[in-house]
Amino acid sequence: MNTTAAHPANAARRFSIAPMMDWTTRDYRAFARTLTRRALLYTEMVTTGALLYGSPRERFLGYDAVEHPLALQLGGSDAGELAECAAVAEAWGYDEVNLNVGCPSDRVQNNLIGACLMAHPEKVAAAVKAMQAAASIPVTVKCRIGIDDQDEDADLERFVSTVADAGCRTFTVHARKAWLQGLSPKQNRDVPPLNYARVHRLKMRHPALHIGLNGGLKTLDACADELERVDSVMVGREAYQNPWLLAEVDSRLYGEANPAAERMEAALAFRPYIAKRLAEGARLNHVTRHTLGLFQGCPGGRQFRRHLAENAHREGAGLSVYDDALGRVKAPAAA
């Protein structure tokens, strides 16, 4: 496995946008690139079964070149299938392949996917080893701090140590437990309390590993503060619902120029991509739904959202609907 900092994924990893089902689609990721060029982006979770036996693969793996650096997140537990998928990810040009050991839904539990794998560190270790043998891009793991009655640092320590011994050098830890019995997937995103200290202690015990923190981060100030204790931060819902948060990521966290100085600049920069996707047969609302939070709190922002919500889904809706929505925004708004 390539672990050098020069690798695109490793070089970008300081800040990433979490993989989120139905949200971090190819269209959202292209939109995010109008706001940050440096952040590491993740796909939605793709199960090994869908990738190996579904068709066409373009549906699961397609992306635009602008999205790099880009990681594919896989859901699965069979080492052979995961290895085959890791090889496919590399062949398709992904910069990283990530194993989901954090999703708490019943559907994935029944297939031994996601957070339930935290109870099977040896199985995860075997999968990571096979994936690394099949691909030269980084193989990483995203997990929770524990599941159900796993309530001690020792449980997380055993998981990370076992998987690290198999060769994994990078872990992103959602700093909440997952209650597989008694809480819904939605509740598992909010109800279990955040425990950043457990992730901080994990990093102190493993200075040679890359330990990233995910969960509850809402501002770049909070991200910068956590970067004093961990190697990277991952932001999920806040990056999606309030995308302007991303506008200063490059300058604040990477020391580089931001792509857009104003929200309208980002909105207009996304316009050629929308036109391209429409020409490919995509529906307007499937692309523009990811922009709805861009003008949050700005004069005309509500009218922008309303116009898209009421018109972008209509049959034959084209770029003029997006332009009309932008016309509802009273003035370009800086941060």
Side-chain angles (χ1 to χ4, degrees):
M1 180 185 68
N2 186 342
T3 58
T4 63
H7 191 282
N10 289 329
R13 200 180 308 286
R14 183 172 174 82
F15 180 98
S16 62
I17 300 175
M20 294 174 284
M21 294 301 293
D22 297 322
W23 285 8
T24 52
T25 67
R26 62 185 300 176
D27 297 324
Y28 169 75
R29 299 188 308 258
F31 170 57
R33 282 290 178 235
T34 69
L35 298 164
T36 171
R37 295 190 183 97
R38 291 301 313 274
L40 178 60
L41 304 183
Y42 283 81
T43 67
E44 306 167 89
M45 182 186 72
V46 179
T47 65
T48 54
L51 190 52
L52 296 178
Y53 309 115
S55 61
R57 281 185 174 171
E58 173 72 20
R59 172 186 169 194
F60 304 105
L61 296 178
Y63 62 87
D64 190 279
V66 73
E67 297 172 43
H68 288 293
L70 178 63
L72 174 69
Q73 188 184 63
L74 291 174
S77 57
D78 181 272
E81 291 183 345
L82 284 164
E84 188 175 349
C85 289
V88 170
E90 183 169 35
W92 275 68
Y94 281 87
D95 301 302
E96 172 192 314
V97 60
N98 176 266
L99 180 59
N100 183 320
V101 190
C103 181
S105 81
D106 294 337
R107 181 176 63 85
V108 297
Q109 285 181 59
N110 293 336
N111 293 291
L112 203 60
I113 298 172
C116 60
L117 283 171
M118 293 205 70
H120 305 278
E122 294 81 8
K123 196 169 187 66
V124 176
V128 164
K129 190 171 184 178
M131 293 164 75
Q132 289 179 327
S136 62
I137 56 176
V139 174
T140 67
V141 167
K142 185 174 187 291
C143 64
R144 294 274 185 143
I145 58 172
I147 56 172
D148 296 336
D149 293 327
Q150 290 184 344
D151 215 14
E152 302 297 330
D153 283 19
D155 292 301
L156 179 60
E157 173 64 28
R158 183 170 74 91
F159 175 83
V160 169
S161 294
T162 301
V163 179
D165 286 346
C168 185
R169 312 314 298 165
T170 301
F171 298 82
T172 301
V173 185
H174 186 162
R176 284 189 175 92
K177 288 178 60 179
W179 284 96
L180 305 182
Q181 304 296 326
L183 291 182
S184 69
K186 183 177 186 298
Q187 289 172 319
N188 264 302
R189 292 195 291 265
D190 294 301
V191 174
L194 288 162
N195 190 339
Y196 289 174
R198 185 170 293 179
V199 184
H200 299 160
R201 291 192 294 271
L202 180 69
K203 175 58 188 176
M204 286 189 287
R205 287 194 299 270
H206 295 278
L209 295 180
H210 182 109
I211 303 296
L213 183 141
N214 169 231
L217 296 169
K218 295 183 180 298
T219 68
L220 292 188
D221 285 341
C223 290
D225 184 57
E226 286 303 319
L227 286 169
E228 298 293 323
R229 303 173 181 86
V230 295
D231 298 303
S232 60
V233 291
M234 176 182 279
V235 178
R237 282 169 289 167
E238 191 67 19
Y240 187 90
Q241 295 167 342
N242 178 25
W244 191 244
L245 168 77
L246 303 174
E248 292 189 343
V249 163
D250 292 6
S251 59
R252 288 282 305 275
L253 302 182
Y254 295 91
E256 298 184 5
N258 299 317
E262 296 179 338
R263 298 173 203 243
M264 187 63 74
E265 183 180 353
L268 294 174
F270 193 45
R271 196 175 179 278
Y273 176 86
I274 299 173
K276 183 176 81 167
R277 290 288 285 137
L278 291 174
E280 293 170 349
R283 293 181 65 90
L284 181 67
N285 62 316
H286 292 170
V287 183
T288 58
R289 68 185 175 95
H290 304 294
T291 70
L292 294 179
L294 180 59
F295 295 101
Q296 184 180 131
C298 299
R302 184 174 299 175
Q303 289 81 357
F304 168 79
R305 293 191 299 274
R306 180 181 300 161
H307 189 77
L308 286 179
E310 292 177 352
N311 297 283
H313 69 282
R314 298 182 187 278
E315 190 68 32
L319 202 55
S320 62
V321 173
Y322 183 68
D323 292 339
D324 289 344
L326 292 178
R328 267 72 174 169
V329 181
K330 304 305 180 188

